[in-house]
Amino acid sequence: MNSASEHAGVVRRFALLGSGEALARGTAFVTMAVLAHRVDAAAFGMIAFALAVVLYLGRVADAGIDLGVGIREVAAARGSLDALVPALLALRLVLALGLVATCGLLALLWSAPDGRIIALYTLTLLPLAAGTRWVLTGLERTAAVGAARTLGELIALCGVVLFVRDAGDLWRVPLAQFTGDSVAALLLAYRVRRLGIPVRPRWDASVVARLRHHVAPYVGSTLLGLVIFNSDLIFLRLLRGRELVGYYAAAYALISFLISISSAHLLTLLPALARLNGAVDAQRVLYRDAIARMLAVVLPVAVGGALIAGPLVRLAFGDSFISAIPVLVVLLGTVPLFALRDIASCAILARRREGMVFRISALSAVLSVVLNLSLIPGFGMMGAASATLLTEAIRLVLCVTAAHSLGFPWPPLARGWRPAVAVLIMWGAVRTMPASSLWVTVPVAALIYGACLFVMRGLRRGPGWQLSLDV
């Protein structure tokens, strides 16, 4: 299969998984927005801090399976799934049960009010461990993944809408999430079983031993990635208090939504790159095209998002969260950096070089901690946002350089001139528009950007007016 057909397949599978992920993350964002309108910034900060802590535990319980290793192994060894899937489910459930028992208890013993919320959120590690999203993604059956995740987030949203009225009901938020995640995990397990793949956990030491050299560095990399991703929020909580965490988390909720779409692209790109390890030229073309097309997508998102940051925060979280607006503007700059770095990391993982990703993550995590400790005491939220932006920029350079050392081409920056010109025109047009609602500004901005790309032949019409990027 050549690179053009591979890229078409990646785009198709990303459309299925990405649209489902967008719906799911959009629903999760609405859940946080509803919560922000019902509690104050300090209570909102408690939820955000608990989620930040449990994210680390989730990476350990996942064992790198959902976020890369499992997807790659399923794609590469479809004939041995009867042994692989039950063994990895058993491994993840053992890890999750141990974390719930130990970390949940420690959180309950913590005197701060955040402790009970953290303890309840550890229950969500169980449906995470039992989840089989990685199996379906590795098999490139992504439609069911997005649908199940969306349904789970809708259940969590309903729980918050119906049962959370004020800060006294915060303990019900993690229980609503646990319920939604459990339903999603059951639906995916049913879908995998319908494919004839066993989903009953069964310990197999030989499978675990074969993968442990890949799992350990990948888990380490994802944990270090989390240090980069949310150490700013954690240091804000420790150094400046819950209220600032609430404002910062409101801005980051929007960023998390955008980043999750990029991550969905990685999950669909990884199997294709892994399959092309024996066809290096096609693999390089797919990598180069993925970067060029991703840049055309994320560049207008970052610039356009900065233009509407104020109305967006007011609409989503209310006037009491206007302190989050300048933070959001800075953090939007990380979205292109994160998306492009994800593709470079994906290329490295496709070559089974988890150790290289680990070293880059370790260096970036140290840099993130140093920058946060240096900037937060004096500059608060803006210091945290600036630390994140600087760290992601350096991390992107490191990942792209590492991918190049493995034979992948440098990012085709020359192919970015069409998106750059289109973004400048969009920016100028929106700046001169009379004040109007987001429901008018956003579609108009998207239409201007798309029209500019079309005129410059960066967006082409296929059969039946089907549009495709050609940058």
Side-chain angles (χ1 to χ4, degrees), residues 3-76:
S3 60
S5 58
E6 279 287 3
H7 192 272
V10 170
V11 171
R12 183 178 63 256
R13 293 186 293 273
F14 172 58
L16 292 171
L17 182 61
S19 59
E21 187 70 18
L23 283 172
R25 291 302 306 177
T27 306
F29 175 74
V30 172
T31 301
M32 295 298 282
V34 169
L35 188 62
H37 281 281
R38 296 188 177 184
V39 301
D40 58 18
F44 189 76
M46 286 177 59
I47 291 292
F49 179 69
L51 284 169
V53 172
V54 174
L55 266 177
Y56 288 90
L57 305 181
R59 292 297 186 266
V60 176
D62 171 55
I65 305 304
D66 249 348
L67 298 178
V69 174
I71 295 170
R72 185 187 65 198
E73 294 302 315
V74 169

Side-chain angles (χ1 to χ4, degrees), residues 186-204:
L186 288 171
L187 288 175
L188 290 179
Y190 174 77
R191 182 73 180 94
V192 171
R193 188 176 179 184
R194 286 286 302 273
L195 295 175
I197 302 170
V199 293
R200 178 176 294 179
R202 184 178 67 250
W203 185 262
D204 188 329

Side-chain angles (χ1 to χ4, degrees), residues 14-318:
F14 172 58
L16 292 171
L17 182 61
S19 59
E21 187 70 18
L23 283 172
R25 291 302 306 177
T27 306
F29 175 74
V30 172
T31 301
M32 295 298 282
V34 169
L35 188 62
H37 281 281
R38 296 188 177 184
V39 301
D40 58 18
F44 189 76
M46 286 177 59
I47 291 292
F49 179 69
L51 284 169
V53 172
V54 174
L55 266 177
Y56 288 90
L57 305 181
R59 292 297 186 266
V60 176
D62 171 55
I65 305 304
D66 249 348
L67 298 178
V69 174
I71 295 170
R72 185 187 65 198
E73 294 302 315
V74 169
R78 298 189 180 194
S80 59
L81 298 185
D82 287 359
L84 179 71
V85 173
L88 293 185
L89 286 174
L91 170 65
R92 299 210 307 176
L93 283 169
V94 167
L95 291 172
L97 287 168
L99 289 168
V100 172
T102 55
C103 298
L105 178 60
L106 289 173
L108 285 174
L109 295 176
W110 187 23
S111 59
D114 313 65
R116 183 170 64 164
I117 303 298
I118 294 173
L120 289 171
Y121 263 119
T122 62
L123 295 176
T124 62
L125 300 177
L126 300 175
L128 182 153
T132 49
R133 179 179 72 164
W134 53 282
V135 181
L136 293 170
T137 305
L139 294 173
E140 298 171 332
R141 296 173 179 263
T142 52
V145 175
R149 180 158 160 70
T150 300
L151 178 60
E153 292 296 347
L154 281 171
I155 291 172
L157 171 60
C158 290
V160 171
V161 170
L162 294 174
F163 302 114
V164 179
R165 298 298 176 189
D166 52 39
D169 296 328
L170 279 186
W171 62 275
R172 294 174 175 171
V173 179
L175 294 182
Q177 191 66 57
F178 170 76
T179 303
D181 291 351
S182 298
V183 171
L186 288 171
L187 288 175
L188 290 179
Y190 174 77
R191 182 73 180 94
V192 171
R193 188 176 179 184
R194 286 286 302 273
L195 295 175
I197 302 170
V199 293
R200 178 176 294 179
R202 184 178 67 250
W203 185 262
D204 188 329
S206 62
V207 173
V208 174
R210 176 170 61 85
L211 293 178
R212 71 177 185 273
H213 297 298
H214 299 292
V215 166
Y218 196 79
V219 171
S221 297
T222 56
L223 287 172
L224 291 168
L226 277 182
V227 172
I228 302 164
F229 176 71
N230 67 14
S231 64
D232 45 4
L233 190 146
I234 290 175
F235 280 120
L236 269 176
R237 167 67 180 86
L238 297 177
L239 298 174
R240 301 295 291 265
R242 294 190 190 94
E243 187 174 6
L244 283 187
V245 171
Y247 296 137
Y248 195 82
Y252 228 121
L254 294 159
I255 302 302
S256 296
F257 169 72
L258 298 172
I259 286 176
S260 67
I261 308 304
S262 166
S263 297
H265 180 253
L266 179 147
L267 296 179
T268 52
L269 181 63
L270 180 57
L273 284 173
R275 278 200 316 275
L276 290 174
N277 272 332
V280 176
D281 288 341
Q283 189 183 54
R284 290 171 178 167
V285 172
L286 177 60
Y287 170 78
R288 185 187 62 216
D289 289 349
I291 288 181
R293 288 175 169 86
M294 179 58 74
L295 182 63
V297 173
V298 296
L299 193 59
V301 169
V303 175
L307 285 170
I308 61 170
L312 191 57
V313 168
R314 288 187 173 91
L315 175 66
F317 300 102

Side-chain angles (χ1 to χ4, degrees), residues 391-417:
T391 302
E392 285 296 344
I394 294 172
R395 195 180 179 196
L396 170 62
V397 172
L398 293 174
C399 283
V400 166
T401 303
H404 182 69
S405 73
L406 297 177
F408 290 94
W410 292 109
L413 297 180
R415 289 172 61 177
W417 73 268

Side-chain angles (χ1 to χ4, degrees), residues 424-471:
L424 284 173
I425 295 172
M426 179 195 74
W427 179 83
V430 172
R431 291 282 293 178
T432 57
M433 283 174 56
S436 57
S437 73
L438 290 177
W439 308 111
V440 174
T441 304
V442 173
V444 168
L447 184 62
I448 292 171
Y449 178 74
C452 291
L453 273 188
F454 189 80
V455 169
M456 292 184 291
R457 302 182 67 81
L459 191 63
R460 295 180 182 270
R461 179 175 67 87
W465 280 95
Q466 181 179 358
L467 297 175
S468 61
L469 278 172
D470 187 20
V471 293

